[in-house]
Amino acid sequence: NPRSVPVYCEEHLPHPLLRPYIRCYFYISVASAEFRFPADGCPGFIVNLGDPFLMGFGDGRFKNLSGCQLFGASTRHLVTQHLSGQTKLLAVKFHPGQLPRFLGFPAVELTDTSTSLEAICGQLARQMEARLDGNNALPRLVEQFDQALLACLSHQHPYDERISAALATISRLRGQVRIDSLAKSIDLGRRQFERRFRELVGLPPKKNVPHRPFSGSIFDAFRIARAGLGRARLCERVQRSSPSCP
């Protein structure tokens, strides 16, 4: 029961058809402190399922979050700050460069910032917010979000698959690849490649280093919360649907 522990979190995989584009759904419920999402190059949504809380990008500036918030690829940690009551959120984390497939919106315009999903794609925002029924169990909510995102993906926004190929190469080689070689491998000049990459990913190629496992960042979040707990005790106090704590 999420209410029986100080911090409760779960990860859920998306629908198989969404897995090439979406890393995971991540749910957290906490009664105090902050939570930090790593600056891993992955954009996404944050959906508020509980009381209002603050969100910022590690620069000391926060804004109140309610409803569905869209955030871009970031060079700084995204931080949520608890206010009162129960902070409960569901994050949808996309793989780098994949958000434009769903929204048809240049990722570079969201780098290091956030905006309401309503401002970018009102129809998707309304579909997702309509599913925020407090009686919905989390797996059912994830299933409904899957349906909304599959419908959005079916709109077939224009997308340059050459950038996906470049991202796959960066991941496979763990970032040990020259930009000139990447550009040549997909038949683009270096400047053209860098411009197109930044437009779809939100970061330049040299910034797109392999990301950390998202679930591993949870321990950083709790250190920020100043819980004063060791890694083993954190494992005891956190319930997860993903594999057991390392």
Side-chain angles (χ1 to χ4, degrees):
N1 184 345
R3 296 174 186 170
S4 65
V5 292
V7 178
Y8 178 86
C9 60
E10 293 182 12
E11 285 185 46
H12 292 262
L13 288 175
H15 187 281
L17 292 178
L18 293 173
R19 290 177 195 174
Y21 318 117
I22 296 177
R23 289 177 64 184
C24 69
Y25 295 96
F26 187 78
Y27 170 83
I28 182 168
S29 173
V30 60
S32 63
E34 297 179 349
F35 188 81
R36 175 177 292 189
F37 292 86
D40 57 4
C42 297
F45 310 137
I46 287 183
V47 183
N48 186 358
L49 302 177
D51 295 299
F53 57 89
L54 301 178
M55 187 174 84
F57 283 90
D59 55 3
R61 293 179 294 177
F62 289 88
K63 60 182 177 181
N64 197 295
L65 190 147
S66 59
C68 299
Q69 195 78 5
L70 176 65
F71 61 91
S74 178
T75 59
R76 300 187 296 269
H77 295 312
L78 189 158
V79 180
T80 63
Q81 189 175 85
H82 176 80
L83 289 175
S84 62
Q86 190 76 13
T87 295
K88 296 191 292 185
L89 63 88
L90 181 65
V92 185
K93 292 282 283 186
F94 290 77
H95 290 294
Q98 302 306 316
L99 184 61
R101 290 184 187 274
F102 294 81
L103 301 183
F105 186 82
V108 68
E109 296 187 24
L110 286 170
T111 301
D112 282 333
T113 191
S114 66
T115 187
S116 69
L117 182 57
E118 176 75 29
I120 305 299
C121 184
Q123 181 178 0
L124 178 59
R126 289 187 292 272
Q127 288 176 346
M128 296 184 79
E129 290 180 0
R131 290 162 166 80
L132 301 182
D133 183 343
N135 296 321
N136 269 349
L138 189 58
R140 176 59 179 160
L141 184 60
V142 167
E143 181 183 333
Q144 291 180 327
F145 279 17
D146 271 346
Q147 293 169 3
L149 289 166
L150 283 167
C152 193
L153 185 63
S154 70
H155 293 165
Q156 296 183 336
H157 297 288
Y159 188 85
D160 192 338
E161 296 294 346
R162 295 173 297 182
I163 301 304
S164 272
L167 284 163
T169 299
I170 291 172
S171 179
R172 186 177 71 254
L173 299 179
R174 303 191 62 79
Q176 302 303 307
V177 59
R178 296 176 59 85
I179 295 176
D180 288 334
S181 299
L182 271 178
K184 184 176 181 181
S185 71
I186 58 172
D187 297 322
L188 289 176
R190 177 176 175 135
R191 288 187 179 180
Q192 185 182 14
F193 167 65
E194 290 181 322
R195 183 173 61 251
R196 190 68 180 133
F197 190 98
R198 190 180 182 98
E199 180 182 350
L200 291 180
V201 178
L203 299 171
K206 63 181 179 180
K207 289 281 188 181
N208 198 260
V209 297
H211 53 253
R212 296 177 56 192
F214 179 59
S215 59
S217 70
I218 192 167
F219 295 102
D220 293 336
F222 300 144
R223 278 194 289 270
I224 295 171
R226 302 193 228 0
L229 300 173
R231 190 178 181 93
R233 287 186 63 200
L234 282 172
C235 289
E236 293 171 1
R237 289 178 61 175
V238 177
Q239 301 178 26
R240 298 172 59 189
S241 63
S242 52
S244 60
C245 293

